[in-house]
């Protein structure tokens, strides 16, 4: 009876023919990768600031500085990203090189490994090697995943380790006690490391727990929870010590209405409902359709069209149909997707794009293809086509005909982007960074937008500016950090015009331009905190008590009104002499005391419009 148990309609699981076909398909996948990956490989550093942060963290670990922010002078402990992907980068640096292209190739290797794992994973749950091959090939040619594989982001490494976790979970032999089950320990390790790669890996953690719960594997569930806590405890404790509540990076920003504009405050009850609806709308009409089939173009700034709703609902409907009809591992897949989209719906709606949904794209693509396959299979039965080869092999393989239509324009676009230079605004930015490397002291601290990118090209300490509409807060932040230089860029981020430029215009004496790139506005300024105005403001003008240091060495300290000196104040000259008295409309008007630098009274006199008109004995 055992041989019959292992049969699949048409091909025996352990037959020689089946093994040959499986091997041939695997070989095609590997060859396809080595054909397509060099074609889309981009040697340039990605302009996403996060990828440079990962790179610098990996470099910090590799050079012995620990998990630290090496672009800051104090090299403080980093608390934004989990350590998993930086550890992979540091291993690549130690084994090979810190060259960015080398690290990208390591990411490419993980993508290939992900495709291989996905192929065997799908064979297990679909029981159809042809369908598994077609899905894996479509995933390999997915432009979003390919793009992510040629930049230094954590998506691909998370994809690999999460797929490994699911693979071992599906293969678990629950007849064995958990403590004697090697597969259980491997599954636990892959889940824990996935969480250490991305904080959103909590979806995988919760999905596995839910799957064990629904299957009533109580001992396994208890051991899984205890093991996960044990493996994550060091990172959680470190998070508490350095000021992160254990969940780290992105999850710690969920409570802000807008993580990029924290002055807007934190979420209230009604805001959560609004956010969930906006995210639901976007995932249905944009992220899932475009993620699975990148030829479906989306425009985030335009109103959502009815046609986009229809297309999204059809795609998701087929995905759900495929999931419902999935006989093997349906509970596991459902639990993982439920946990993932539970987090996605709570994501700040300013975080949009396919990159967040990318780790579950292979599963969504498979479920869609599986759903389409089942519909075509039903059509065969309706037409009374009973040939097993047609049903099990020809129908899945016929889906390959859609590959050129689906992927060619997107692959060509990636190839073009890899061939192009940086956009002009970033070329100016990087030229300025290279100039800084040659001309500024190596201890300099430069405030700029995208400080990670600037540091990579400048090899000078860098930091962000405070994103506050209160100009004094921006300036005081520079002073507190010990900023030496400030960069004005043309990268297109609103915070530069909203936060940085107004602060600099309000304190012009504190900033001296020392370099401008060509005809662009990309410039670097020396920050001179002792110069210019420090004091009270009203309606955007200097008003109240304040101090002003002039470039000629003179200093005024006293009352201001309507932006100029008005009221009692003291002017200190470069030689140390002081003149104290009444000012009106920025001029000496009234009785003044003139004292030497030793504070000895020199004379008393009455001034009008800065002119001495009478000496008082």
């Amino acid at each position: 009876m055992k041989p019959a148990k292992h049969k699949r309609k048409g091909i025996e699981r352990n037959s020689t023919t089946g093994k040959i076909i499986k091997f041939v398909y695997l070989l095609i996948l590997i060859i396809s990768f080595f054909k397509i990956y060099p074609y889309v490989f981009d040697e340039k550093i990605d302009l996403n600031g996060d990828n440079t942060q990962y790179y610098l963290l990996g470099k910090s670990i590799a050079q012995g500085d620990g998990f630290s922010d090496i672009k800051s002078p104090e090299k403080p402990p980093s608390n934004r990203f989990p350590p998993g992907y930086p550890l992979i980068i540091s291993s690549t640096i130690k084994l090979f090189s810190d060259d960015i292209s080398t690290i990208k190739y390591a990411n490419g290797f993980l993508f290939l490994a992900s495709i291989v794992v996905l192929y065997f994973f799908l064979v297990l749950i679909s029981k159809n090697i042809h369908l598994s091959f077609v899905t894996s090939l479509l995933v390999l040619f997915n432009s979003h995943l390919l793009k992510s594989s040629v930049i230094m982001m954590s998506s691909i490494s998370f994809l690999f380790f999460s797929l490994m976790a699911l693979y071992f979970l599906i293969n678990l032999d629950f007849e064995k006690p958990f403590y004697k089950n090697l597969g259980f320990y491997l599954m636990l390790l892959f889940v824990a490391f996935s969480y250490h790669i991305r904080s959103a890996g909590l979806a995988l953690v919760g999905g596995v727990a839910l799957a064990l719960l629904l299957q009533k594997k109580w001992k396994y569930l208890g051991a899984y929870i205890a093991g996960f806590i044990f493996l994550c405890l060091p990172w959680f404790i470190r998070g508490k010590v350095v000021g992160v509540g254990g969940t780290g990076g992105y999850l710690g920003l969920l409570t802000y209405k807008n993580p990029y504009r924290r002055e807007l405050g934190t979420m209230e009850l009604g805001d959560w409902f609004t956010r969930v609806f906006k995210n639901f709308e976007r995932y249905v009409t944009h992220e899932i359709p475009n993620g699975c089939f990148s030829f479906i173009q989306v425009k985030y700034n335009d109103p959502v069209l009815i046609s986009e709703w229809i297309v999204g609902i059809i795609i998701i409907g087929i995905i759900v149909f495929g999931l419902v009809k999935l006989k093997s591992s349906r509970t596991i897949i459902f639990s993982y997707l439920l946990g993932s989209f539970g987090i996605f719906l709570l994501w700040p709606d300013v975080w949009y794009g396919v990159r967040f949904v990318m780790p579950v794209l292979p599963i969504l693509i498979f479920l869609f293809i599986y759903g389409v396959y089942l519909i075509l299979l039903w059509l065969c039965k309706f037409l009374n086509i009973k040939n097993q080869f047609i049903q099990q092999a020809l129908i899945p393989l016929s889906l390959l005909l859609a590959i050129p239509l689906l992927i060619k324009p997107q692959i060509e676009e990636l190839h073009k982007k890899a061939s192009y230079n940086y956009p002009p605004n970033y070329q100016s930015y990087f030229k300025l960074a290279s100039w800084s490397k040659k001309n500024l002291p190596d201890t300099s601290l430069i405030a700029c937008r995208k400080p990670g990118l600037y540091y990579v090209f400048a090899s000078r300490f860098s930091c962000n500016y405070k994103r506050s509409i209160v100009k004094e807060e921006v300036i005081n932040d520079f002073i507190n950090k010990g900023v030496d230089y400030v960069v004005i860029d043309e990268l297109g981020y609103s915070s530069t015009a909203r936060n940085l430029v107004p602060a600099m215009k309000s304190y012009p004496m504190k900033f001296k331009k020392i370099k401008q790139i060509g005809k662009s506005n990309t410039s670097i300024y020396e920050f001179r905190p002792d110069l210019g105005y420090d004091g009270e403001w009203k309606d955007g003008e200097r008003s109240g008590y304040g101090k002003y240091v002039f470039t000629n060495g003179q200093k005024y300290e006293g009352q201001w009104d309507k932006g100029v000196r008005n009221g009692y104040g003291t002017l200190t000259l470069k030689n140390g002499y002081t003149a104290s008295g009444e000012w009106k409309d920025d001029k000496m008007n009234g009785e003044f005391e003139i004292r030497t630098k030793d504070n000895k009274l020199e004379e008393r006199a009455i001034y009008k419009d800065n002119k001495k008109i009478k000496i008082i004995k």
Side-chain angles (χ1 to χ4, degrees):
M1 296 295 293
K2 286 186 178 180
K5 183 179 180 181
H6 292 285
K7 281 189 177 181
R8 290 197 308 273
K9 303 171 183 178
I11 299 176
E12 290 190 8
R13 181 177 300 179
N14 296 316
S15 68
T16 302
T17 303
K19 289 181 178 179
I20 292 175
I21 293 175
K22 186 185 291 187
F23 174 77
V24 170
Y25 282 162
L26 181 61
L27 191 61
I28 292 174
L29 288 171
I30 294 173
I31 292 173
S32 298
F33 171 82
F34 282 105
K35 290 290 289 184
I36 194 67
Y37 191 75
Y39 189 68
V40 301
F41 186 79
D42 192 347
E43 293 183 349
K44 302 187 299 294
I45 192 168
D46 191 73
L47 301 181
N48 181 342
D50 286 356
N51 85 123
T52 57
Q53 299 295 330
Y54 281 120
Y55 171 69
L56 295 177
L57 286 171
K59 194 170 183 178
S60 174
I61 296 172
Q63 66 189 27
D65 287 317
F67 198 61
S68 302
D69 183 7
I70 58 173
K71 72 179 187 303
S72 299
E74 301 82 11
K75 298 182 181 179
S78 178
N79 58 6
R80 182 178 177 188
F81 296 106
Y85 186 52
L87 281 171
I88 295 173
I89 292 177
S90 70
S91 300
T92 305
I93 291 175
K94 287 182 177 180
L95 291 173
F96 303 103
S97 166
D98 65 352
D99 179 69
I100 289 174
S101 291
T102 302
I103 297 169
K104 289 186 175 186
Y105 281 125
N107 227 26
F109 173 78
L110 284 175
F111 184 47
L112 174 60
S114 300
I115 296 299
V116 172
V117 175
L118 176 68
Y119 173 60
F120 287 108
F121 172 73
L122 296 181
V123 169
L124 282 176
I125 66 175
S126 71
K127 306 298 188 292
N128 188 312
I129 56 177
H130 312 291
L131 195 68
S132 304
F133 165 69
V134 171
T135 302
S136 300
L137 197 60
L138 282 172
V139 171
L140 172 61
F141 286 124
N142 182 278
S143 63
H144 298 294
L145 291 166
L146 272 173
K147 179 182 178 181
S148 190
S149 71
V150 297
I151 61 178
M152 296 179 295
M153 293 292 285
S154 62
S155 301
I156 297 301
S157 58
F158 180 82
L159 174 64
F160 171 73
F161 284 96
S162 60
L163 283 174
M164 288 294 291
L166 293 173
Y167 180 82
F168 280 106
L169 177 62
I170 287 175
N171 275 295
L172 278 183
D173 181 3
F174 291 109
E175 297 297 322
K176 293 181 180 179
F178 71 85
Y179 51 86
K180 292 183 179 180
N181 195 334
L182 178 61
F184 170 74
Y185 292 112
L186 291 173
M187 181 272 293
L188 179 60
L189 286 173
F190 281 115
V191 169
F193 196 71
S194 297
Y195 169 71
H196 282 88
I197 292 175
R198 296 184 75 172
S199 298
L202 281 175
L204 176 64
V205 177
V208 172
L210 181 60
L212 294 174
L213 176 66
L214 294 176
Q215 296 178 79
K216 298 181 180 181
K217 304 300 180 183
W218 308 116
K219 292 182 179 179
Y220 271 85
L221 177 60
Y224 168 74
I225 293 174
F228 177 77
I229 292 174
F230 174 77
L231 291 173
C232 294
L233 195 59
W235 176 241
F236 182 85
I237 293 173
R238 181 190 181 277
K240 288 291 186 181
V241 172
V242 300
V244 180
T247 56
Y250 288 116
L251 294 183
L253 301 175
L254 287 181
T255 57
Y256 288 101
K257 292 180 181 179
N258 186 336
Y260 302 119
R261 297 190 61 187
R262 299 186 189 181
E263 70 271 12
L264 297 178
T266 55
M267 297 285 288
E268 298 177 358
L269 182 60
D271 298 321
W272 288 106
F273 288 104
T274 302
R275 174 181 288 182
V276 168
F277 175 76
K278 285 184 177 180
N279 286 334
F280 175 79
E281 178 184 60
R282 198 176 68 247
Y283 277 104
V284 171
T285 61
H286 289 62
E287 258 81 322
I288 293 177
N290 177 247
C292 293
F293 309 104
S294 52
F295 70 94
I296 299 178
Q297 299 298 315
V298 297
K299 296 180 179 179
Y300 287 99
N301 295 325
D302 292 349
V304 177
L305 303 176
I306 295 296
S307 59
E308 292 177 314
W309 273 106
I310 294 173
V311 171
I313 290 172
I314 291 174
I315 291 174
I316 293 173
I318 295 174
I319 289 172
V320 172
F321 175 69
L323 177 61
V324 171
K325 291 296 183 180
L326 190 65
K327 295 180 180 179
S328 175
S329 309
R330 179 173 56 200
T331 301
I332 294 171
I333 301 300
F334 168 77
S335 300
Y336 180 37
L337 292 179
L338 180 65
S340 297
F341 283 97
I343 291 179
F344 296 155
L345 291 177
L346 297 177
W347 238 222
D349 49 274
V350 293
W351 292 346
Y352 58 86
V354 176
R355 66 189 180 107
F356 295 107
V357 75
M358 206 174 296
V360 297
L361 276 185
I363 294 176
L364 296 178
I365 292 171
F366 162 71
L367 291 174
F368 179 86
I369 293 174
Y370 187 63
V372 171
Y373 167 69
L374 292 177
I375 293 171
L376 294 176
L377 201 61
W378 174 85
L379 185 61
C380 282
K381 293 179 181 179
F382 179 79
L383 297 174
N384 202 28
I385 301 174
K386 298 181 179 180
N387 186 286
Q388 295 297 313
F389 175 75
I390 293 177
Q391 291 185 1
Q392 296 297 310
L394 193 57
I395 291 178
L397 292 175
S398 67
L399 297 175
L400 292 175
L401 297 175
I403 286 183
L405 174 66
L406 298 180
I407 66 173
K408 187 174 181 181
Q410 288 70 45
I411 299 299
E412 289 299 324
E413 185 65 24
L414 288 179
H415 175 66
K416 288 180 180 178
K417 288 181 178 179
S419 305
Y420 292 157
N421 201 346
Y422 295 110
N425 55 340
Y426 277 91
Q427 290 185 44
S428 298
Y429 187 74
F430 296 146
K431 284 180 182 178
L432 187 64
S434 299
W435 179 90
S436 301
K437 184 177 182 177
K438 295 178 181 178
N439 296 278
L440 300 183
D442 55 11
T443 57
S444 302
L445 176 60
I446 303 169
C448 56
R449 193 66 169 85
K450 297 278 188 180
L453 275 173
Y454 204 87
Y455 178 87
V456 170
F457 284 84
S459 296
R460 295 295 181 268
F461 296 121
S462 58
C463 65
N464 219 322
Y465 47 81
K466 189 177 182 66
R467 295 176 192 176
S468 172
I469 59 175
V470 181
K471 306 174 185 66
E472 295 72 35
E473 290 185 359
V474 178
I475 299 300
N476 289 333
D477 182 62
F478 287 156
I479 295 172
N480 293 335
K481 288 177 178 176
V483 168
D484 301 300
Y485 301 93
V486 178
V487 170
I488 293 290
D489 62 73
E490 294 182 303
L491 302 184
Y493 292 96
S494 60
S495 60
T496 301
R498 184 175 61 247
N499 306 131
L500 180 59
V501 173
M504 294 178 67
K505 285 184 176 179
S506 295
Y507 295 89
M509 298 297 295
K510 294 183 182 295
F511 299 93
K512 178 184 178 182
K513 184 188 292 187
I514 58 174
K515 179 65 179 178
Q516 181 173 342
I517 300 300
K519 296 181 180 180
S520 73
N521 290 323
T522 304
S523 310
I524 188 167
Y525 293 76
E526 182 183 1
F527 177 57
R528 300 184 287 183
D530 293 335
L531 296 182
Y533 180 77
D534 288 294
E536 299 174 342
W537 294 78
K538 183 179 180 181
D539 298 328
E541 292 186 333
R542 294 184 282 263
S543 182
Y545 185 82
K547 179 178 71 173
Y548 197 103
V549 179
F550 298 87
T551 54
N552 60 7
Q554 295 184 4
K555 178 178 70 174
Y556 171 82
E557 207 167 346
Q559 295 299 314
W560 297 75
D561 187 38
K562 298 179 182 179
V564 295
R565 292 172 286 187
N566 272 297
Y568 187 83
T570 299
L571 177 68
T572 303
L573 304 178
K574 190 174 181 180
N575 61 7
Y577 277 59
T578 62
S580 301
E582 291 291 328
W583 298 74
K584 185 179 179 182
D585 297 332
D586 213 34
K587 296 179 180 179
M588 301 169 71
N589 279 282
E591 183 177 328
F592 273 78
E593 280 190 354
I594 311 300
R595 292 181 176 271
T596 67
K597 62 180 180 179
D598 298 325
N599 202 31
K600 293 180 180 179
L601 181 63
E602 182 81 4
E603 70 174 15
R604 287 190 178 93
I606 295 177
Y607 284 76
K608 185 176 181 180
D609 294 334
N610 284 341
K611 294 181 180 179
K612 188 191 304 183
I613 61 173
K614 183 179 181 181
I615 297 177
I616 303 174
K617 294 184 180 179

